[in-house]
Amino acid sequence: MRRIHSTIDTNSSQFLTYQRHNQSLVDEFRQRDFDAKHKRPQKGLDRLEKQGKNLASQRVEMLLDPGTPFLELSSLAANASDNGEAPGASVLSGIGIINGREVIVIAGDGSIKGGAWFPLSAKKITRALDIAIENHLPVVHLVDSAGAFLQLQSELFADKYHGGRVFRNQCILSGLGIEQVAVVMGHCTAGSAYVPTLCDYSIIVRKIGACFLGGPPLVKAATGEEVTVEELGGADVHASISGTSDYAVNSEEEGIALAREIVGTFRKRNKAIIDKQEIEAPYYDPEELYGIIPDDVKKQFDVREVIARIVDGSRFHEFKPDYGETLICGFAHIMGYKVGILGNNGVLFNDSAKKAAQFMQHCNRSRAPVVFLQNITGFMIGKEYEHEGICKDGAKMLMTQVNLDVPKFTVMINGSFGAGNYAMCGRAYDARFHFIWPQAQTSLMGSEQAAKTLTGVKVASLQRRGEVPTEEEIQEIHDAIAKDFAQRSSAYYSTSELWDDGIIDPADTRKALGMAISASLNKDFKETANGYLRL
């Protein structure tokens, strides 16, 4: 493959302006990320110390093979909800390596309201288990949960994707023969008691671990029976009497060491075969991405410059370079793995949509996972394009994308709006992993277009009622709508609601994708034998 020829002047005033802007955004992200992991009310930290417990992050560090990477997922979940009371949605999850095996780790955070599940906690755990199912990854649960946060029970109990989906997913994993291990490091109360009992192996720590459908206060209220935590559901009760747990241990450290040992007995799966070569660092420095991405989501840039800084050797075989030029397609390698890449260089026209559908067929036939780099305002609109069949051509792109056999991966690198989000494998389209950069935005349309549209609707409604707003009042309406739309389209709002699998530093994109691709290959994929269509 040819090396991409970069035209970026790293000494230009524009590059340096963009670099300062994006470096500040990355610094903000890193600070928010650090706070979500480590900043806790002193009361919660004191309680953990008194109980002899470690923080969730400390537990995960002990669990993983030393010196190996950990791909944390949705570290800033719930950052814009629940009044910020549940950083990380009270759960730490991600992909790590234990005794040489890639696994999903889900760790409850007992420092936040005893590890109680908020609505987004259930959503985050469910997503982690979805990833385990999609990629056939074993799961280690580090359980420390007081059960559902009762004040918000109506938002996490009864619906299809509420808390019950967690246990449903555990059952699906079991049916697929995918192993799960639980280490009970706190109280597993009510529904959360099912997490360890649905696992293949269950370890419980004496004195701090307990498991019961109803704790001592509820038992007394319901039956009048007085019983201690240890008598009701402590480690020795479940390891020696009920058989609910398989092992009782004396410390968290002992429990984690035992979990590592158990994972080491799991069979190593044969990975799906795709083309692979020796890993080669990009020719261009990935940190130059800070000076390439503009300081305004409306400003354009050449996505080839992004590709050059995330693929091996900055080498890229571009497909159909002179056709459908607002969509760049081609083959490259990321951390040694051959992939097909689709990256936006403007609005999607008829030709770019057809080019995408044609190229994705090549990816499917050559068993190349597909990476989508989203920077898209949508499909082109207007009489000319409707007559040319923009809806029909967009449907070709969407139909091909949805029915790909190979794994898909999405990175939102700037704007992602309207139906363009869908065609470029948005959240609803089953990418194995979906990441977002700190400055990226996603919504039905841009905040300015939305503000103009909704302001016009509001003003027309007032006029129908006989009210005539002044220019100042119209501007106030516009500004309020624009502010709300911008806030709800930001990367932080997206990741708070788990519309993605986490914000990542642009310079870490190839590492995140490399780990994600590797994890995805634990599950083989079918090959559909269809004739090739030149669209």
Side-chain angles (χ1 to χ4, degrees), residues 352-396:
S352 46
K354 289 186 285 189
K355 173 180 170 179
Q358 187 178 350
F359 175 67
M360 285 187 283
Q361 291 181 82
H362 285 298
C363 294
N364 222 41
R365 291 160 71 89
S366 62
R367 291 179 64 85
V370 181
V371 175
F372 297 85
L373 302 178
Q374 289 191 352
N375 179 29
I376 181 63
T377 55
F379 286 93
M380 192 62 193
I381 60 174
K383 179 180 176 181
E384 176 186 350
Y385 305 101
E386 294 294 352
H387 285 193
E388 289 182 12
I390 189 66
C391 291
K392 178 178 62 177
D393 293 332
K396 293 173 185 173

Side-chain angles (χ1 to χ4, degrees), residues 32 74-84 86-89 119-121 123-124 436 487-488 490-503:
R32 288 193 182 208
S74 302
S75 63
L76 293 175
N79 77 85
S81 68
D82 299 322
N83 298 316
L120 287 170
S121 308
K123 187 175 182 180
K124 182 171 179 178
I436 187 170
Q487 189 270 325
R488 291 175 182 269
S490 73
Y492 289 105
Y493 189 84
S494 170
T495 209
S496 176
E497 295 296 308
L498 288 127
W499 296 348
D500 53 65
D501 293 317
I503 297 175

Side-chain angles (χ1 to χ4, degrees), residues 319-320 323 353-365 396-397 399-400 528-535:
F319 174 71
K320 253 179 155 66
Y323 181 81
K354 289 186 285 189
K355 173 180 170 179
Q358 187 178 350
F359 175 67
M360 285 187 283
Q361 291 181 82
H362 285 298
C363 294
N364 222 41
R365 291 160 71 89
K396 293 173 185 173
M397 179 178 178
M399 185 69 74
T400 308
T528 302
N530 289 327
Y532 177 73
L533 296 176
R534 181 175 293 278
L535 301 172

Side-chain angles (χ1 to χ4, degrees), residues 118-388:
F118 287 74
L120 287 170
S121 308
K123 187 175 182 180
K124 182 171 179 178
I125 297 169
T126 297
R127 173 57 185 156
L129 292 171
D130 281 342
I131 290 172
I133 292 168
E134 291 165 355
N135 300 286
H136 285 193
L137 296 172
V139 182
V140 176
H141 303 261
L142 304 180
V143 192
D144 192 353
S145 173
F149 189 62
L150 289 178
Q151 291 92 319
L152 299 174
Q153 63 84 27
S154 64
E155 299 175 40
L156 61 85
F157 170 64
D159 205 358
K160 181 175 181 179
Y161 293 102
H162 284 175
R165 194 76 174 183
V166 170
F167 316 127
R168 175 264 187 192
N169 276 6
Q170 286 190 265
C171 295
I172 295 294
L173 281 166
S174 184
L176 292 169
I178 299 168
E179 304 92 339
Q180 298 176 78
V181 182
V183 186
V184 178
M185 300 169 151
H187 289 187
C188 296
T189 307
S192 60
Y194 286 110
V195 172
T197 55
L198 287 169
C199 288
D200 301 79
Y201 300 90
S202 178
I203 304 163
I204 188 166
V205 182
R206 290 187 176 96
K207 296 184 180 180
I208 64 172
C211 186
F212 29 60
L213 292 181
L218 182 57
V219 169
K220 183 176 181 180
T223 69
E225 180 183 13
E226 293 193 12
V227 62
T228 67
V229 167
E230 287 297 311
E231 293 170 335
L232 182 63
D236 291 314
V237 166
H238 287 315
S240 304
I241 300 174
S242 75
T244 299
S245 181
D246 304 306
Y247 311 89
V249 296
N250 294 317
S251 67
E252 290 191 5
E253 291 76 9
E254 185 182 347
I256 289 172
L258 182 54
R260 284 182 47 79
E261 183 179 328
I262 291 169
V263 173
T265 69
F266 294 170
R267 63 188 173 91
K268 288 191 174 181
R269 289 177 168 79
N270 294 323
K271 289 201 170 189
I273 298 173
I274 65 171
D275 286 350
K276 190 178 180 184
Q277 64 180 26
E278 289 296 316
I279 297 173
E280 183 182 1
Y283 180 77
Y284 301 104
D285 186 350
E287 292 204 358
E288 290 176 357
L289 289 168
Y290 303 151
I292 292 169
I293 305 303
D295 54 4
D296 187 330
V297 74
K298 294 188 289 293
K299 294 180 181 178
Q300 286 297 308
F301 57 92
D302 188 348
V303 75
R304 295 179 187 86
E305 300 288 358
V306 173
I307 295 169
R309 287 156 180 86
I310 65 174
V311 303
D312 291 11
S314 303
R315 302 180 193 281
F316 184 60
H317 172 77
E318 187 169 347
F319 174 71
K320 253 179 155 66
D322 300 320
Y323 181 81
E325 296 180 24
T326 60
L327 185 70
I328 305 305
C329 302
F331 291 110
H333 291 80
I334 294 178
M335 302 300 280
Y337 298 108
K338 180 185 175 182
V339 296
I341 297 176
L342 287 83
N344 301 115
N345 252 8
V347 67
L348 287 166
F349 289 91
N350 299 73
D351 54 1
S352 46
K354 289 186 285 189
K355 173 180 170 179
Q358 187 178 350
F359 175 67
M360 285 187 283
Q361 291 181 82
H362 285 298
C363 294
N364 222 41
R365 291 160 71 89
S366 62
R367 291 179 64 85
V370 181
V371 175
F372 297 85
L373 302 178
Q374 289 191 352
N375 179 29
I376 181 63
T377 55
F379 286 93
M380 192 62 193
I381 60 174
K383 179 180 176 181
E384 176 186 350
Y385 305 101
E386 294 294 352
H387 285 193
E388 289 182 12

Side-chain angles (χ1 to χ4, degrees), residues 70-73 92-96 103-107 124 128 137:
F70 180 62
L71 179 59
E72 185 172 354
L73 303 170
L92 193 161
S93 66
I95 297 174
V103 300
I104 288 282
V105 179
I106 302 172
K124 182 171 179 178
L137 296 172

